[in-house]
Amino acid sequence: MPGPALDLSLALDVRSVPPGTTQRAHLVIEVSAALPEDERHERPPLALVFAIDVSASMWGQPMEQVVRSLERMVELLDPTDRVGIVSFSEGAEVVAELEQLDAPARRRLAGSLRRIDPEGGTDMESGLRTSRSALGPRVPAERRGILLLSDGDPTLGDRRPEALAEIAASFREDATVSTLGYGEEHNEDILRRIAVAGGGQYYYVRDPALCATELALAVGATGDAVAEGVSVDISPARGVDIIRIAGDVRVRKTMGAARVELPDLQPGEHASLIVEVAIEPGASASGAFDVVRARLAHRRPGAADVHVLERAIGIDVQAGEPERDPSARARVLVALAEEARSAARALADQSSFELAAALLRRAVDGMRAEADLEAEDGTPLGETIAQLAEEAEVLAKKPNPAAYRLFRKAQAGRAAAASRRAGASLAGPLSRRAMATVAGNLPRARLLVVQGNGPKDGYRLEGTTNTIGQTNQAQIRLEGKDVSREHCSIVGQDGRFWLTDLGGGSGTFVNGKKITAPAALKPGDVIGVGDVELKYEEER
């Protein structure tokens, strides 16, 4: 039987506390997924149900692109995999029963997809419940998942975000639920909550033209997971209380302890938890003092056996000022930045943009007060500080409703992508195959610098996704006026490269015209990013 796929580590941002006091501290819990022991190891068969919103707003190009993308995903999967299709609008129905993908089954699925007609409202509750029923009884040694795609708000059934999240959570022992938000009108908050509760991921599909790319990411992540049913039990020692657990996670508390449910993980990925605790050693305490014991549980995909790993951490009780751990504290600040974003987003949703910007600036000032910026430059903490400062500037400009919707959804998509970024270069075999299939036969291409600073031979487009911006994580790093941290991206799909704006504020231009949807690049096109101009060229 294969051993555990995950590892567990603990750190505290405080190394020592004085006796007879109450000290607040933050526990950093890191869960990391190992690489496969053998790259040739076969993944378990996949049972996958696609739940497709077919409300009236999907009429035309949106539905055509979804159907084309689904057909490509079905062709990509193995004959041992099983696929079913559920559509939901004013209720839900099984469009194609779950069955193994032999040649006749693939033809039947394609025919079923072509017969879908958009209509009516959006009953997301029925879509979830019908998808679970369509999966049927669990088959041993099978990985199971639901991919729900929607372009709007739920209008029928139970529309409460917490209720829809609980439905997804109830499937967790049996199937993972991931969500894809389609277009500018979908509710990213609801779809993210469903994905978090279901152990999956949220993906942002800004435009129908790039649906296949995001769907390939979602299918690949579902099939390549190395751990499912991931949870961490946190048990504080005597004299220690859990104050709160930060982040977009599901938490259940009982008798002073807490259980946190984490998403399924792919090879090389990691998930972090930040737990604020109050430590109160007695007046006579000294030396080592136990703080927390953590218990990690998970299953290999398709397996019934649960693997368990335990770790404990303590602190020194000694007179004098508490001693800090700078490395752990930096990780805490990065995690807490997302809470500042959430609070600012709530204000901006009410059009209180100045208050939202001021809140983010205060968060930036607080982080800078703790950080040595020269030492932190280029690190996750330095990147987080710079990103928050940029977001404050965007909100201070009081974006119009359309620009704010794009900013908000881009922010949600960025946060979801960041949670997957650690393992992006280590993607499993299905993810690699899916992205290669969607990309097609891409030309060798590069961006030559027409205006601004950059290498004389320009930037070669590598892989299927190239982010352009000032962040150190960008594949094409630019410095210039009005260049955002993550300004735009170039995605390879269908044998050509597409340019899309990421909602950074100043916009992205092609041949002097601001783009509002992904633009297919052709040789000679000039891309405007702030005051930088790049010319797209293809090699013969």
Side-chain angles (χ1 to χ4, degrees):
M1 181 186 72
L6 303 181
D7 197 7
L8 175 68
S9 66
L10 310 179
L12 284 164
D13 64 352
V14 175
R15 290 172 174 159
S16 68
V17 297
T21 62
T22 299
Q23 176 69 46
R24 292 289 182 96
H26 291 87
L27 170 70
V28 181
I29 301 176
E30 187 92 4
V31 177
S32 55
L35 296 174
E37 297 87 351
D38 185 348
E39 279 293 327
R40 296 168 296 177
H41 175 70
E42 294 185 3
R43 64 175 175 84
L46 181 62
L48 191 59
V49 170
F50 294 98
I52 310 301
D53 181 348
V54 295
S55 54
S57 55
M58 290 289 289
W59 185 266
Q61 188 193 18
M63 183 55 67
E64 290 174 8
Q65 291 286 359
V66 169
V67 169
R68 284 187 57 217
S69 300
L70 287 174
E71 287 175 338
R72 294 167 78 173
M73 293 304 102
V74 168
E75 289 301 319
L76 166 76
L77 294 170
D78 294 335
T80 53
D81 296 325
R82 299 192 297 158
V83 168
I85 309 289
V86 166
S87 66
F88 62 95
S89 55
E90 296 181 0
E93 65 172 327
V94 178
V95 174
E97 298 284 351
L98 189 74
E99 60 178 333
Q100 278 194 329
L101 292 175
D102 57 18
R106 295 177 196 270
R107 289 194 293 271
R108 285 192 293 271
L109 276 169
S112 299
L113 286 168
R114 292 292 173 181
R115 289 193 293 273
I116 294 177
D117 289 322
E119 61 178 0
T122 304
D123 189 345
M124 208 171 287
E125 178 193 4
S126 291
L128 285 168
R129 296 190 186 280
T130 303
S131 296
R132 171 61 192 86
S133 297
L135 277 172
R138 188 176 185 93
V139 173
E142 186 176 61
R143 165 80 170 158
R144 294 155 64 85
I146 295 169
L147 294 183
L148 182 142
L149 184 149
S150 177
D151 74 334
D153 278 304
T155 59
L156 299 167
D158 198 328
R159 293 172 287 173
R160 296 172 298 153
E162 62 274 15
L164 294 170
E166 284 304 317
I167 292 170
S170 71
F171 304 163
R172 192 175 170 117
E173 286 297 314
D174 192 53
T176 296
V177 182
S178 288
T179 57
L180 296 97
Y182 199 66
E184 299 302 316
E185 301 301 325
H186 77 273
N187 190 315
E188 64 271 25
D189 290 336
I190 289 179
L191 293 185
R192 282 195 70 179
R193 288 188 69 169
I194 290 173
V196 168
Q201 298 280 2
Y202 159 78
Y203 300 82
Y204 171 33
V205 185
R206 182 182 172 191
D207 189 272
L210 297 181
C211 177
T213 294
E214 294 299 323
L215 194 59
L217 287 171
V219 171
T222 303
D224 285 331
V226 295
E228 61 185 17
V230 185
S231 66
V232 178
D233 289 326
I234 307 165
S235 302
R238 191 171 186 177
V240 179
D241 291 319
I242 295 174
I243 306 300
R244 68 191 183 103
I245 299 175
D248 197 7
V249 293
R250 283 178 56 83
V251 180
R252 287 184 284 173
K253 292 186 177 180
T254 54
M255 302 291 291
R259 169 169 290 185
V260 183
E261 295 175 346
L262 296 176
D264 301 350
L265 296 178
Q266 295 186 73
E269 279 190 328
H270 71 266
S272 296
L273 289 173
I274 303 299
V275 184
E276 185 176 1
V277 295
I279 304 171
E280 189 175 359
S284 60
S286 65
F289 184 82
D290 292 337
V291 176
V292 159
R293 178 171 292 277
R295 178 182 182 272
L296 169 67
H298 70 281
R299 301 187 307 271
R300 290 274 189 171
D305 298 303
V306 176
H307 297 280
V308 174
L309 186 63
E310 293 193 13
R311 296 279 188 270
I313 191 169
I315 201 167
D316 287 333
V317 178
Q318 60 186 36
E321 288 295 316
E323 182 184 352
R324 299 277 181 179
D325 182 330
S327 175
R329 184 60 185 168
R331 292 154 72 187
V332 170
L333 291 174
V334 170
L336 296 184
E338 191 57 38
E339 292 191 336
R341 283 193 179 97
S342 297
R345 192 162 54 238
L347 290 170
D349 288 347
Q350 304 300 318
S351 298
S352 298
F353 294 114
E354 291 179 350
L355 293 176
L359 188 153
L360 289 180
R361 288 184 182 125
R362 286 196 300 273
V364 167
D365 290 343
M367 295 169 77
R368 282 177 174 157
E370 291 196 51
D372 178 347
L373 286 184
E374 291 186 5
E376 296 297 343
D377 185 35
T379 65
L381 178 57
E383 290 288 334
T384 299
I385 290 173
Q387 186 68 47
L388 281 184
E390 181 178 278
E391 290 168 9
E393 291 180 11
V394 172
L395 294 176
K397 294 176 182 176
K398 299 180 181 179
N400 62 43
Y404 177 64
R405 280 200 307 273
L406 174 57
F407 169 81
R408 199 182 194 283
K409 286 178 169 56
Q411 191 183 61
R414 187 183 300 118
S419 71
R420 304 189 293 268
R421 188 171 289 152
S425 63
L426 305 170
L430 182 57
S431 295
R432 292 196 297 269
R433 198 165 84 231
M435 293 304 295
T437 299
V438 168
N441 187 20
L442 293 171
R444 291 187 176 184
R446 69 175 65 240
L447 302 179
L448 300 176
V449 181
V450 177
Q451 178 176 300
N453 296 321
K456 290 183 179 180
D457 58 349
Y459 303 93
R460 182 180 294 278
L461 297 182
E462 304 284 356
T464 56
T465 301
N466 293 264
T467 300
I468 301 174
Q470 293 205 46
T471 174
N472 286 327
Q473 274 126 26
Q475 285 76 30
I476 299 174
R477 189 171 187 270
L478 299 180
E479 292 186 3
K481 184 180 179 182
D482 294 328
V483 178
S484 303
R485 306 295 296 174
E486 294 184 6
H487 197 107
C488 56
S489 69
I490 295 178
V491 176
Q493 182 177 295
D494 300 324
R496 61 199 309 188
F497 285 106
W498 298 74
L499 175 70
T500 183
D501 182 63
L502 295 179
S506 63
T508 303
F509 297 77
V510 174
N511 301 327
K513 184 178 180 181
K514 189 174 184 177
I515 63 171
T516 57
L521 294 171
K522 60 184 184 298
D525 281 344
V526 176
I527 301 168
V529 182
D531 63 351
V532 179
E533 290 188 348
L534 305 166
K535 187 177 182 181
Y536 173 78
E537 292 291 356
E538 295 178 0
E539 298 179 10
R540 290 172 180 261

